[in-house]
Amino acid sequence: MKVILAQPRGFCAGVVRAVEIVERALQKYGPPVYVRHEIVHNKHVVERLKAKGACFVEDLSEVPSDAVTIFSAHGVAKAVEEQASSQNLWVLNATCPLVTKVHNQGKRYVGQGRVLILIGHAGHPEVEGTMGQITGPVLLVQNEREVDALDVPVDTPVAYVTQTTLSVDDTRGIIAALQRRFNDIIGPDTRDICYATQNRQSAVRELCKLVDVILVVGANNSSNSNRLREIGADAGIPSYLIADGSELNPGWVRDAEVVGLTAGASAPEILVEDVVAALRRLGPVEVTTLPGREETIEFRLPPELADATRGISSTTGAEP
Ligand code: SF4
């Protein structure tokens, strides 16, 4: 069997930064360090950090006052920031700078007197954070049907922003529907879907031309991983989301000569290697990597952590 690895795949700069913030906080302040929500949507990453002393909570009421508390890469609503402040928590913000950029863009549009439309998935923490960061009317649309159902007069000045991890194709259709619906509508110059999401989606499209089956390493609740799987499926390639090698169903690859393998932005490379090892247990495997875009983007850490060292490699999830 041939296995072709997508390039790029796996951890993005926002995830590397978020994981590193937790690692460095543990090193600098010692455990426990509290993290609101999964720092990134990957159980493997979360379990490793738990073993080092990170405590994951869904609500800040579970955090003792004065504790070191980290907000996840997805961002938080203003109300969460205010609650942290009222509990005297020492906050380190791991919100991805590209998510913060969406918050700021949305605030600017609302400041211009526009009704803001957020294109995203209801219930996703990034969407809750973005809606909760912006004072003023923010309407969520998830698909073109919901654009038609918006109860907003056509000549209302509106603007749109998007969740960072959507499929470029899905978003294009929704934006076109919004532009048909409203006379006065603006959006960001370059759409808010982030570079890492776009690059991983482009790489899967390339994979689709070459493979019989696509495996996407990622968690069920990882938005960008689900979108990668959907792109494969929409291209007519059987595509499966897989957390690690233990979830490999031999039936998925039984008739495949070429398997495409990629990973969502929150999945460490060690899990890709684990899936390759599981494929090898089924028979001989030849692994190659697609030529792809090299990513050099890095995001700066909060200044208070610049002098702390990290405990594990953020890129591989492996011990040094
Ligand atoms: S996928 Fe994009 S927006 Fe999300 S954490 Fe990574 S770099 Fe940031």
Side-chain angles (χ1 to χ4, degrees):
M1 178 193 298
K2 283 189 179 166
V3 173
I4 304 180
L5 303 177
Q7 181 64 34
R9 62 181 179 278
F11 274 12
C12 59
V15 166
V16 168
R17 175 177 180 271
V19 173
E20 201 161 331
I21 286 173
V22 181
E23 291 170 350
R24 289 191 185 219
L26 284 164
Q27 190 271 335
K28 180 164 182 176
Y29 305 110
V33 159
Y34 289 82
V35 185
R36 184 186 178 277
H37 194 67
E38 292 185 342
I39 185 75
V40 298
H41 285 154
N42 189 276
K43 200 164 127 276
H44 173 90
V45 172
V46 167
E47 291 303 322
R48 289 190 75 87
L49 293 173
K50 264 190 201 169
K52 300 260 173 188
C55 293
F56 290 85
V57 299
E58 283 307 313
D59 195 295
L60 291 186
S61 61
E62 300 166 58
V63 181
S65 60
D66 298 327
V68 175
T69 306
I70 298 170
F71 294 156
S72 78
H74 313 97
V76 297
K78 268 211 178 82
V80 174
E81 293 174 342
E82 285 161 9
Q83 187 182 354
S85 161
S86 73
Q87 287 179 225
N88 284 326
L89 303 181
W90 177 263
V91 171
L92 295 163
N93 195 343
T95 302
C96 177
L98 298 184
V99 174
T100 304
K101 191 175 133 210
V102 174
H103 296 171
N104 293 338
Q105 183 78 64
K107 287 173 192 170
R108 270 197 296 277
Y109 287 145
V110 170
Q112 294 165 9
R114 293 180 177 273
V115 171
L116 188 67
I117 295 169
L118 171 61
I119 303 169
H121 289 297
H124 190 278
E126 181 186 324
V127 165
E128 289 174 356
T130 301
M131 294 185 83
Q133 276 289 335
I134 296 162
T135 315
V138 186
L139 305 171
L140 178 67
V141 296
Q142 305 182 80
N143 50 48
E144 293 174 42
R145 281 190 316 283
E146 291 186 3
V147 172
D148 295 337
L150 282 171
D151 186 18
V152 180
V154 292
D155 51 358
T156 307
V158 300
Y160 65 84
V161 291
T162 67
Q163 186 179 336
T164 56
T165 49
L166 297 183
S167 141
V168 177
D169 288 340
D170 289 352
T171 313
R172 188 181 295 125
I174 298 170
I175 291 171
L178 286 168
Q179 286 168 335
R180 283 194 300 273
R181 171 82 199 266
F182 294 104
N183 301 330
D184 179 5
I185 178 165
I186 56 172
D189 286 342
T190 50
R191 278 172 298 159
D192 291 330
I193 291 173
C194 86
Y195 80 97
T197 301
Q198 294 205 33
N199 290 348
R200 279 150 192 71
Q201 291 180 4
S202 300
V204 167
R205 286 196 188 91
E206 288 305 308
L207 265 192
C208 289
K209 299 173 189 164
L210 305 169
V211 304
D212 305 308
V213 173
I214 288 179
L215 303 178
V216 179
V217 182
N220 275 329
N221 59 344
S222 160
S223 171
N224 76 88
S225 304
N226 277 292
R227 301 295 80 75
L228 294 178
R229 192 202 65 72
E230 284 170 11
I231 287 169
D234 289 349
I237 310 286
S239 302
Y240 304 96
L241 197 58
I242 179 169
D244 56 32
S246 71
E247 290 193 353
L248 179 68
N249 179 341
W252 294 342
V253 295
R254 186 169 294 130
D255 301 322
E257 287 177 19
V258 189
V259 174
L261 185 55
T262 188
S266 45
E269 184 65 11
I270 196 170
L271 298 181
V272 174
E273 290 164 8
D274 192 49
V275 173
V276 171
L279 289 166
R280 286 194 198 286
R281 288 194 285 277
L282 302 177
V285 165
E286 180 195 324
V287 180
T288 55
T289 303
L290 267 188
R293 193 182 289 255
E294 196 185 332
E295 292 179 338
T296 53
I297 290 180
E298 285 181 22
F299 295 133
R300 236 179 306 179
L301 292 167
E304 54 270 57
L305 293 179
D307 59 341
T309 54
R310 64 188 197 206
I312 59 174
S313 159
S314 295
T315 306
T316 63
E319 298 293 343

